Amino acid sequence: MNTEQKLVLELCRIEGYNKENVELALNKWLDYAYVLGQLHMHRMAAAAYYVLQKTELLGKVNREFRSSLKAVYQYNQYKVASYKKALDELVYLLENVDFPYTILKGGFLAYLYPPGVRTSNDIDLLVLRKDLPRIIELFRNHGFVQGFIRNERIVEAKRQEIVNAQLNRGEIIPFVKEVRWQGLEFLEVDINISLDEKSSEDTSVIAQMLERRSGFATDRGERLYTLDREDFLIHLCTHLYKEAAVYQWVEMGRDLSIYKFLDIWLYYRKFIKQQEGEQALADRIQACGKELECYYAFYYTGEIFDKELFLPLLENIGNRQEYIDSLDRVYDPVCKRYYRYKMEFLQRLFDSRRERDLEGENE
C-alpha cells in the first residue's frame, strides 16, 4: 500500500486510533484529492473527521480537505438525528403486532457509533415469510408506498415487479414514504425474509433467529428488537459476503466498502471479544451453516484492521481449503460462472476498476 492508502485505513479506526501513525502520514507529501475520494467512496469521510478531531490533528491537514470532511460530518449529524426519529416512530407502528420482527444493521448500529460517524439510508426489518401479508398491510395503512426513489420522487412499483422480486430473489421491494426531515427526505423500509436475499433460504434458521431476538432501547427509551448478539454479527457477515462475492455487485462498484468491514470490527470488539464470546459465536456460525460467509468476512476485516483479533475465531470456524479458496472468488448467478481476482485484497479494495482484474475460471 502507498502512504495515502495507509492514511485512509488509519482514519477509519474510530476506536484504537493511533495518533503517531496518522501524524507520520500527514508529515509526508500527500495526494489529498486521492485520499478524499477514497474516504467518500467508502463512506468514511465523517469517520476521518472524527479521528482527526480526537487526535487533535485537524490543523495539520489541507484546508479544503478538512472543510469537505467537516461538511459531511455535520450533515451526518442531522441525518442520524432524523434516522433515530424514524426509529422512534417505528416503535408505534410495531408495538402491537402479534408476529416477531427484528431490526437489522444500521437500525441498531446507529446507537453503537458516535453521532454523525455512520449513517444509514434505510431501515431493515427481518420477518417470517408467512407474516409478510400483515406487515405489508401495516405499512400501506400508514402511508408507505411499495416502490423506488428515482430523481428525488417516489415511483410506485408495478405488481409484476413486486411478484418477481419475491419469487426470484427472495426480497421485498422497499416501502417508502416522503418525510422531508433534515438530512432525510424519504424514509425507506426494507423488509427481509432471508439473510442473503435468496428465495431458497432455510426458513427454520430465520425462525430460530427471531425466537432468539433481543430488545434494545432507542434514545427516547422506546423498545425495539434486534437479533441476538451472535446472530446480528452472522447477518452482517452474510450481507457483506453476498455483496462482495457476487459479480453484479462488483459491476456496480458496491461490493467492497470499508464501512461494512468497520461495522464488523467494532461489533466484534464490543460484543464478542470484550465479553469472551468467541466460542459461542463459532458454535452459532456452525449451527446456522454460515461458515463460508463468516470466514470471508472475518478474514478480510482482519486484513484491514487487526489480523490477530480474528485468528482464534478463524481457527474455530475451521481453516478448510474451500474457505481459503473462496477468498478471491466472485460468482455470477446469471451466467452461473466463477471468476477469480489476481490482485491482492488490499490492492483491489482501493481500485475502483477492480472488475477488470477478474478472470474467468478455467479460461
Side-chain angles (χ1 to χ4, degrees):
M1 290 191 296
N2 59 35
T3 301
E4 285 81 4
Q5 292 165 351
K6 290 178 181 177
L7 176 61
V8 168
L9 295 187
E10 288 293 338
L11 293 176
C12 292
R13 301 175 69 92
I14 66 168
E15 287 186 1
Y17 40 79
N18 189 312
K19 180 177 180 177
E20 184 179 340
N21 287 347
V22 175
E23 193 165 20
L24 187 65
L26 294 178
N27 286 333
K28 298 179 180 180
W29 185 91
L30 291 170
D31 183 347
Y32 274 103
Y34 176 83
V35 175
L36 186 63
Q38 289 292 338
L39 290 170
H40 278 294
M41 289 299 291
H42 288 279
R43 288 173 57 177
M44 288 285 99
Y49 186 83
Y50 176 84
V51 171
L52 288 169
Q53 188 179 54
K54 288 294 183 179
T55 55
E56 300 181 336
L57 292 172
L58 281 170
K60 290 186 67 70
V61 302
N62 173 280
R63 186 181 68 176
E64 301 307 323
F65 176 82
R66 179 174 66 247
S67 297
S68 178
L69 298 184
K70 183 178 181 179
V72 175
Y73 181 69
Q74 291 179 331
Y75 172 79
N76 281 4
Q77 290 182 317
Y78 294 123
K79 186 171 184 178
V80 169
S82 292
Y83 184 80
K84 288 183 176 180
K85 176 182 177 181
L87 289 167
D88 281 322
E89 297 210 352
L90 196 62
V91 171
Y92 299 107
L93 268 71
L94 298 170
E95 61 181 348
N96 293 319
V97 297
D98 58 354
F99 55 85
Y101 75 88
T102 65
I103 302 288
L104 302 174
K105 298 188 299 179
F108 176 75
L109 293 172
Y111 302 95
L112 179 61
Y113 278 80
V117 172
R118 188 194 192 279
T119 62
S120 296
N121 296 318
D122 52 30
I123 297 173
D124 285 274
L125 294 176
L126 179 67
V127 301
L128 289 171
R129 184 182 292 271
K130 69 180 182 66
D131 294 322
L132 273 178
R134 285 185 288 178
I135 199 165
I136 287 173
E137 181 182 11
L138 177 68
F139 278 98
R140 284 178 176 166
N141 289 343
H142 283 83
F144 285 82
V145 173
Q146 203 166 3
F148 314 94
I149 300 169
R150 292 173 178 163
N151 297 316
E152 296 302 308
R153 65 187 184 91
I154 295 174
V155 178
E156 189 168 1
K158 298 176 182 178
R159 176 172 173 76
Q160 195 60 46
E161 290 177 312
I162 294 172
V163 173
N164 286 342
Q166 187 173 334
L167 290 178
N168 299 325
R169 300 196 301 274
E171 63 180 349
I172 310 302
I173 288 179
F175 282 87
V176 291
K177 183 179 182 179
E178 186 173 343
V179 292
R180 298 294 176 185
W181 296 334
Q182 196 167 20
L184 190 71
E185 296 189 349
F186 298 94
L187 176 57
E188 181 175 329
V189 179
D190 278 337
I191 299 174
N192 298 262
I193 54 175
S194 73
L195 295 184
D196 52 11
E197 296 180 3
K198 291 181 181 178
S199 56
S200 59
E201 176 74 32
D202 183 355
T203 56
S204 65
V205 173
I206 303 301
Q208 191 178 68
M209 285 187 168
L210 289 169
E211 287 178 6
R212 289 163 46 92
R213 65 182 182 163
S214 302
F216 72 96
T218 69
D219 283 349
R220 285 200 327 216
E222 306 290 354
R223 185 177 178 83
L224 284 170
Y225 290 94
T226 191
L227 293 173
D228 177 79
R229 180 183 67 173
E230 292 83 18
D231 291 347
F232 190 94
L233 194 49
I234 290 170
H235 175 259
L236 285 182
C237 293
T238 303
H239 187 77
L240 183 149
Y241 179 79
K242 181 262 297 185
E243 295 181 349
V246 173
Y247 186 81
Q248 283 68 31
W249 285 90
V250 180
E251 280 188 309
M252 292 186 290
R254 296 176 60 193
D255 53 318
L256 296 178
S257 296
I258 294 175
Y259 81 92
K260 300 173 191 174
F261 295 95
L262 180 58
D263 287 344
I264 291 170
W265 183 64
L266 285 178
Y267 194 95
Y268 186 85
R269 279 165 53 98
K270 182 176 180 64
F271 295 106
I272 304 298
K273 190 66 177 179
Q274 289 183 14
Q275 300 180 29
E276 299 182 349
E278 294 95 332
Q279 188 58 57
L281 175 60
D283 292 343
R284 185 65 182 146
I285 289 170
Q286 291 165 357
C288 293
K290 297 298 180 182
E291 294 96 332
L292 172 60
E293 295 88 342
C294 291
Y295 191 95
Y296 180 100
F298 291 131
Y299 185 93
Y300 280 141
T301 301
E303 286 285 299
I304 295 172
F305 293 108
D306 186 349
K307 289 182 181 180
E308 297 296 322
L309 181 68
F310 296 104
L311 284 179
L313 178 64
L314 293 173
E315 289 292 334
N316 279 334
I317 294 174
N319 285 307
R320 291 168 54 176
Q321 191 61 42
E322 64 180 287
Y323 305 154
I324 297 170
D325 288 344
S326 74
L327 292 173
D328 297 319
R329 296 179 89 194
V330 171
Y331 181 62
D332 183 348
V334 176
C335 300
K336 301 186 186 308
R337 187 181 187 189
Y338 282 99
Y339 295 83
R340 187 172 290 277
Y341 283 110
K342 293 172 288 182
M343 68 172 72
E344 296 294 323
F345 172 73
L346 290 177
Q347 183 182 358
R348 65 180 182 258
L349 183 69
F350 290 105
D351 189 341
S352 61
R353 298 173 295 176
R354 54 186 165 267
E355 177 193 349
R356 301 180 307 169
D357 185 67
L358 286 172
E359 188 175 86
E361 292 192 346
N362 301 320
E363 283 189 351

